[in-house]
């Protein structure tokens, strides 16, 4: 996992204050919301309720997921199941743009927000503990493996 800075990027919406970026925020068991936040370490920590980690959602679309690095230890509930990465993310999440040349998190474009919305709709879970999400992920993986095995035997 590459370490990324949390500085304000260069690509911003012209209507935002200088120190703000536009992100998608997804809290556990709640719908996502597009909001403006400061792009600094403390603000990210406040939103995800602790120390955070950054996971690329899409390298080609330059979108990051910022999540609580200790969601398992903190007993946070599941938010997204990511079968493509064999992963579960718990706790509140921030989706932000990523500027690869500078390594900064920046405002999402309208197109990136649409990508994030579709991603959330495909992966979100409600009222699910991490353990329940883990078993759901295992079921998804087993179904995927069975489908692939059937395809190869045809």
């Amino acid at each position: 996992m590459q370490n990324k800075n949390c500085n304000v990027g260069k690509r911003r919406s012209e209507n935002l204050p200088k120190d703000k970026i536009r992100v998608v925020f997804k809290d556990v068991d709640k719908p996502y919301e597009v909001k403006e936040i400061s792009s600094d370490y403390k603000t990210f920590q406040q939103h995800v309720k602790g120390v955070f980690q950054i996971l690329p959602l899409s390298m080609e679309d330059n979108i990051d997921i910022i999540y609580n690095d200790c969601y398992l230890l903190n007993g946070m509930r599941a938010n997204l199941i990511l079968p493509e990465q064999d992963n579960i993310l718990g706790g509140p999440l921030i989706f932000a743009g990523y500027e690869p040349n500078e390594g900064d998190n920046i405002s999402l474009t309208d197109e990136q927000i649409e990508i994030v919305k579709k991603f959330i709709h495909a992966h979100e879970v409600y009222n699910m503990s991490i353990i329940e999400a883990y078993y759901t992920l295992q079921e998804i993986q087993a179904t995927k493996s069975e489908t692939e095995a059937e395809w190869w035997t045809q």
Side-chain angles (χ1 to χ4, degrees):
M1 175 75 52
Q2 64 186 34
N3 186 11
K4 298 178 185 175
N5 296 328
C6 300
N7 299 324
V8 174
K10 293 181 172 129
R11 184 183 64 203
R12 302 183 328 93
S13 172
E14 293 181 16
N15 298 331
L16 292 177
K18 184 177 180 180
D19 63 338
K20 301 280 186 179
I21 61 171
R22 186 169 62 157
V23 301
V24 173
F25 178 72
K26 172 71 176 78
D27 207 348
V28 176
D29 299 331
K30 295 181 182 172
Y32 65 83
E33 60 180 303
V34 177
K35 59 192 304 188
E36 299 171 12
I37 65 171
S38 295
S39 180
D40 61 63
Y41 187 83
K42 285 188 177 205
T43 302
F44 286 175
Q45 271 192 321
Q46 289 170 345
H47 278 77
V48 300
K49 300 180 181 165
V51 176
F52 63 88
Q53 185 67 269
I54 299 175
L55 175 73
L57 167 67
S58 168
M59 296 302 272
E60 59 271 1
D61 295 313
N62 295 321
I63 301 169
D64 282 339
I65 305 173
I66 301 155
Y67 66 97
N68 185 304
D69 193 33
C70 300
Y71 69 90
L72 289 172
L73 295 172
N74 293 338
M76 294 179 167
R77 297 180 59 78
N79 201 339
L80 299 177
I81 295 178
L82 310 175
E84 307 87 0
Q85 299 177 11
D86 195 30
N87 199 1
I88 298 163
L89 293 179
L93 307 170
I94 301 169
F95 294 82
Y98 173 64
E99 207 303 307
N101 294 325
E102 300 292 325
D104 294 341
N105 285 107
I106 58 177
S107 281
L108 291 168
T109 64
D110 291 339
E111 295 81 21
Q112 288 172 318
I113 289 172
E114 290 305 313
I115 291 168
V116 169
K117 286 179 182 179
K118 289 177 185 174
F119 180 82
I120 289 172
H121 285 302
H123 296 86
E124 67 187 334
V125 294
Y126 285 88
N127 302 311
M128 191 176 285
S129 70
I130 294 294
I131 292 172
E132 291 168 321
Y134 172 78
Y135 286 120
T136 301
L137 176 61
Q138 295 307 306
E139 290 173 15
I140 292 168
Q141 298 293 23
T143 303
K144 180 180 170 188
S145 295
E146 289 172 11
T147 304
E148 288 174 353
E150 288 173 12
W151 183 82
W152 282 105
T153 58
Q154 293 180 9

